[in-house]
Amino acid sequence: MNGPTISVSLNSPQFLARTSFTSFSKLKTDASRRSLGICKCVSSPPTEQTAYTTKVSRNANMAKLQAGYLFPEIARRRAAHMLKYPDAQVISLGIGDTTEPIPDIITNAMAERACALSTVEGYSGYGAEQGEKKLRSAIASAYYKDLGIDESDIFVSDGAKCDISRLQVLFGSNLKIAVQDPSYPAYVDSSVIMGQTGLYENQRYSNIEYMRCDPQNGFFPDLSLISNADVIFFCSPNNPTGSAATREQLTQLVQYAKKTGSIIVYDSAYAMYISDDCPRSIFEIDGAKEVAIETSSFSKYAGFTGVRLGWTVVPKELLFSDGFPVAKDFNRIVCTCFNGASNIAQAGGLACLSPEGLKAMQSTINFYKENTQIIMDTFTKLGFDVYGGKNAPYVWVHFPGRSSWDVFAEILEKANMVTTPGSGFGPGGEGFVRVSAFGHRENVLEASRRLSQLYS
C-alpha cells in the first residue's frame, strides 16, 4: 500500500535528495528553456514532483528541541566563517575537546591489547557489559578508596555523556528533573527527548527546575527554591562556569535530597582538575550513597574524547521508593542497550590508573591548567569579570548587557576565534561566554594576543 504524498518544488530539499545531479540539471535546463520560449513542443505544464512519506509520526518530543545541539551548531557557524574567510587561521577554544597527545604509557597498553587480538591466546570477543573486573577494581581503588564503593557498584561505559542518556532511560518519562543553570546541555536535551518536559517558552522548558547558579550566590543554587524535583543533575566542577562545590555545599545538597527523597546524578568529569579541598566525589559526603549516582570519564584526564571510556557508580544502598535497588535496573538497562566498552579502550583505562598513568594524566591536566591561567590573566587585565579556571579547564567571562551569541559572533568575526556562548547552557548563561583551555600552547598564547587587541 502506498503511503501519503506531499508536493515539493524542483528546488526543495526533499526533491534534491532524491534526484541525481544529471537528471536534475536536465529538468532545470528544460524548465529554463521553456521560460525563455526556446522550446514550445511541450503541450502540458510540468507536473509537480511528490515525495514519499511513511505512516510513522515523528516523535513529538524531538519537535520540542530548540534548533541544533549546542556544539554542532558552533561547528556549523565555524564552518560558515571558514567559507567566508578561507585563509583565516581560526583558533578553537569553544568545544571542550582535548588537544594534547595521549601519554605513551597509555597508548602502548592499547596497542599491545590490539595486537593481542591477532593471536589465538589474546583474542577476546564480547566482554562483560559492566566492564572488565580489573578495570572496575582499579577505578574503585583510585577514586573511591575508603568511601565504601566497591567494584560491583561501578559500570564501565563509553563515556559520561552516553551514561547520562542511559540514566534517563532508567528513570523514564514520568518525573521532574532539576539542573544547574547554566549547565551541560545534555541533561536538559535528554530530558526533553524522554518526554519529561513540556514546551519551550521564555528560554526554558516547563517541568524542569532551573537552579540559578551565578556570581551572586557563589554558583551554588538556593535549594529552598526547588519544588518537587525527582532527579537533580549536579556537575562539580561545573561545566560551563568552572566552579567547584565546597564540602559544606555538597553536604547541603545531600541533606536536601534525603529530605525530599530525590536522587542526585553527580557529574564528576572534571574532578581531577580540583586543586583545593573541594570534594572530588559526592561519596565523600556522609549519606550520599543512599541518594546519589556518580558519572565520570577519562575524556578530559587522558585525552580519551575519541577513545571513549567512562564509568558510572550506582551504590547498592540506593533504592527506589518501593525498595528495589536502582543498580539492578541500571544493570538491566546496560545489558539491553550496551555491549560493553571496547576491550582496547579498557586496556588504556587500566594503564591510566597505574602509578605511571596517573602521573602522566596529572601532567596533562597541569598543562591545561596553565592554559587556563593564561586565559584568565588575559581577560582580567582587560577589565572583565572572570570566573572558574581554578578547578576546571573552563573560564567563564561576563559581558554585561550583551547577548552571548553576539559576543560569540564578534570574537569569531574580528579575532578568528571560537568560544562558546553562555546562553547555550541555559538562560542563566546569557551575557557570558565560556572559553576552553583545551588547546596547544601556541594557540592559547595567540588567542590571548588577539583578545587583547580586540578589547584593549
Side-chain angles (χ1 to χ4, degrees), residues 409-420:
E410 176 179 79
I411 295 174
L412 179 59
E413 181 76 19
K414 297 181 179 180
N416 288 315
M417 239 185 88
V418 177
T419 57
T420 306

Side-chain angles (χ1 to χ4, degrees), residues 153-426:
D153 298 319
I154 294 169
F155 296 80
V156 176
S157 73
D158 50 348
K161 183 178 183 180
C162 303
D163 275 347
I164 287 165
S165 290
R166 293 185 188 111
L167 287 169
Q168 291 282 30
V169 173
L170 168 74
F171 295 133
S173 59
N174 191 28
L175 54 72
K176 182 177 185 179
I177 73 164
V179 296
Q180 291 159 291
D181 178 25
S183 67
Y184 184 47
Y187 312 140
V188 168
D189 283 11
S190 60
S191 179
V192 175
I193 292 169
M194 281 300 300
Q196 298 168 1
T197 75
L199 297 176
Y200 185 82
E201 296 178 322
N202 300 319
Q203 296 185 305
R204 62 189 66 211
Y205 291 96
S206 60
N207 205 45
I208 289 182
E209 289 282 343
Y210 290 81
M211 306 183 295
R212 180 58 64 93
C213 297
D214 56 28
Q216 286 67 46
N217 61 18
F219 296 100
F220 186 80
D222 183 347
L223 300 175
S224 67
L225 300 178
I226 306 174
S227 61
N228 303 319
D230 300 293
V231 176
I232 303 168
F233 284 90
F234 197 93
C235 180
S236 179
N238 177 263
N239 176 14
T241 68
S243 177
T246 65
R247 190 169 302 276
E248 292 73 24
Q249 289 171 335
L250 290 181
T251 298
Q252 291 179 40
L253 182 63
V254 169
Q255 290 175 346
Y256 173 85
K258 280 202 162 187
K259 178 182 176 182
T260 61
S262 306
I263 292 177
I264 301 164
V265 175
Y266 189 80
D267 187 341
S268 63
Y270 302 94
M272 282 189 71
Y273 286 81
I274 293 176
S275 56
D276 57 22
D277 60 353
C278 289
R280 295 189 175 194
S281 169
I282 190 69
F283 300 121
E284 294 182 37
I285 308 302
D286 288 342
K289 291 194 293 294
E290 297 172 347
V291 295
I293 293 168
E294 182 165 306
T295 186
S296 196
S297 169
F298 288 98
S299 287
K300 308 303 167 65
Y301 303 162
F304 273 27
T305 51
V307 175
R308 307 306 307 154
L309 191 68
W311 69 90
T312 289
V313 182
V314 188
K316 60 183 69 67
E317 294 88 346
L318 183 64
L319 307 176
F320 286 116
S321 59
D322 63 357
F324 195 83
V326 174
K328 286 190 175 182
D329 273 359
F330 188 64
N331 184 67
R332 185 68 171 85
I333 295 291
V334 167
C335 291
T336 300
C337 302
F338 188 50
N339 271 334
S342 158
N343 45 22
I344 299 172
Q346 292 190 73
L350 200 57
C352 286
L353 301 178
S354 68
E356 299 86 356
L358 287 166
K359 183 178 178 181
M361 285 197 297
Q362 193 60 58
S363 178
T364 301
I365 289 167
N366 291 342
F367 174 86
Y368 290 130
K369 287 173 73 69
E370 290 170 2
N371 281 353
T372 306
Q373 193 62 53
I374 293 169
I375 297 166
M376 290 184 69
D377 289 346
T378 299
F379 279 106
T380 300
K381 288 176 183 177
L382 291 170
F384 290 94
D385 289 327
V386 182
Y387 307 95
K390 179 181 179 182
N391 291 320
Y394 299 122
V395 179
W396 191 238
V397 188
H398 194 202
F399 289 78
R402 298 197 60 190
S403 156
S404 295
W405 278 108
D406 285 350
V407 176
F408 167 89
E410 176 179 79
I411 295 174
L412 179 59
E413 181 76 19
K414 297 181 179 180
N416 288 315
M417 239 185 88
V418 177
T419 57
T420 306
S423 58
F425 298 98

Side-chain angles (χ1 to χ4, degrees), residues 70-71 74-75 78 90-97 239-240 270 300 375 393-395 408 417-421 425 433-439:
L70 174 61
F71 301 113
I74 291 171
R78 172 183 172 159
V90 175
I91 296 172
S92 180
L93 299 180
I95 298 172
D97 192 4
N239 176 14
Y270 302 94
K300 308 303 167 65
I375 297 166
Y394 299 122
V395 179
F408 167 89
M417 239 185 88
V418 177
T419 57
T420 306
F425 298 98
V433 296
R434 189 195 76 175
V435 185
S436 166
F438 294 120

